Amino acid sequence: MSASRKDATWEARRADFYGRLDTQSLAPLWERMKGLVPPEPRPKMRPHLWSYESIRPMMMEAGGLLTAEEAERRVLVLENPALPGQSKATNTLYAGIQLILPGEVAPAHRHTQSALRFVLESSGAFTAVGGERTEMRAGDFVITPAWAWHDHGNTGSGPAIWLDVLDIPVVGFVDAGFSEHHNDQQQSIARPEDDALWRFGTGLLPIEAERPYGATSPVFNYPWSRTRPALAAAAAGGVDPHWGVTLRHGNPLDGGWAMPTIATWMTHLPAGTETRPIRSTDATVLAVAEGRGRVTVGDTRLEFGPRDVLVLPNWTWRRFEATEDLFLFCASDRVVQEKLGLWRHEKED
Ligand code: GTQ
């Protein structure tokens, strides 16, 4: 056996064997083992920042080139520079910036991919979800549950621009994507504006169980007008060394995450806060709701300001510094990893 290994023709025999394996749709595990079960995650994605200052003019240029209706969704995809051509911001999340100009409508459709919106700029945009409208104001976190009809519009005087995050790569991984167009441009509205927020979002709940959107929170707008004071008030109760003041968007029916495939939370760091290093197996998409700061992630340092969007790779040490009172929107696949028993994190003291 050992003699045959040292045989000069061994390399050639092995290559020949591999070639014959390939013709029978077989492969030698021992050549692939390291890549298949790595000792720890080795993210292919890179940290990246899209500054609002550079995104906005490109959005407005897109606005002059085609209508929202023509485009169906007028979106510039935020593509991770290390994952070119894949329409991915992280390995598992799609992200894009959507523009609706005054008077425009993005026609009604639905898909099994779940979407969230974090509003960057708006003076009268709305979205309609499952027969109910909600106004989209800057800083609002808005959910489009899987398979819910949705159309967007803008009845204001200025452009409406928001961050879209969708679970497109997750749904693609399990190959369960469906979509269809509505017969009408805009769905008919069956309930008063913000009905869901009043029914499910005050700490009170309907006496008879109803889950209008299945695994997704029945609240589909978590308005900035409530989120900001909640975070600011929570800061008085203490700032965690690793998380700062972090509150997650919860599903009021079960206390879980608001969405079944995308975990979302808000982090507030009072001016001058420096967080201690933490790393976790989920990669994060962040949007700056308010303030300025910087993040050091691995050996990359990113400086950010209002409405900038950034992505941080999984399993890479990160720490934040707030140069001003800082409010961050964050999204990751943590909820998927938790359901599969995979989510891990580590903290440095
Ligand atoms: O608003 O429905 O960025 O369907 C990508 C796909 C937004 C949307 C995106 C979509 C949408």
Side-chain angles (χ1 to χ4, degrees), residues 73 75 94-98 109 111 115 117 144 150 152 162 164 166 168:
R73 296 296 184 262
V75 173
Y94 157 101
I97 306 288
Q98 181 157 176
H109 71 189
H111 36 73
R117 334 284 173 182
T144 310
H150 55 288
H152 319 300
W162 62 74
D164 285 324
L166 282 85
I168 290 171

Side-chain angles (χ1 to χ4, degrees), residues 120-133:
L120 301 173
E121 188 177 330
S122 167
S123 66
F126 67 86
T127 189
V129 172
E132 183 178 329
R133 258 191 191 200

Side-chain angles (χ1 to χ4, degrees), residues 43-122:
K44 285 189 194 72
M45 68 168 285
R46 280 209 294 265
H48 193 73
L49 178 139
W50 291 266
S51 79
Y52 197 65
E53 213 180 312
S54 56
I55 295 171
R56 197 181 186 280
M58 305 298 269
M59 294 305 301
M60 296 312 288
E61 197 176 337
L65 292 171
L66 75 177
T67 65
E69 195 188 331
E70 221 182 317
E72 184 162 347
R73 296 296 184 262
R74 192 202 283 113
V75 173
L76 294 180
V77 177
L78 303 178
E79 196 162 67
N80 194 280
L83 307 170
Q86 299 183 43
S87 304
K88 288 175 170 189
T90 71
N91 192 42
T92 52
L93 294 177
Y94 157 101
I97 306 288
Q98 181 157 176
L99 166 69
I100 314 246
L101 290 169
E104 285 189 329
V105 169
H109 71 189
R110 63 177 177 175
H111 36 73
T112 52
Q113 292 83 1
S114 297
L116 68 82
R117 334 284 173 182
F118 187 75
V119 185
L120 301 173
E121 188 177 330
S122 167

Side-chain angles (χ1 to χ4, degrees), residues 152-196:
H152 319 300
N154 183 354
T155 54
S157 53
I161 301 178
W162 62 74
L163 168 71
D164 285 324
V165 179
L166 282 85
D167 56 7
I168 290 171
V170 176
V171 174
F173 187 64
V174 295
D175 213 350
F178 295 86
S179 70
E180 59 189 27
H181 293 107
H182 201 281
N183 290 331
D184 305 311
Q185 276 262 23
Q186 294 180 263
Q187 64 186 292
S188 50
I189 299 304
R191 288 186 302 282
E193 187 163 321
D194 288 332
D195 184 57

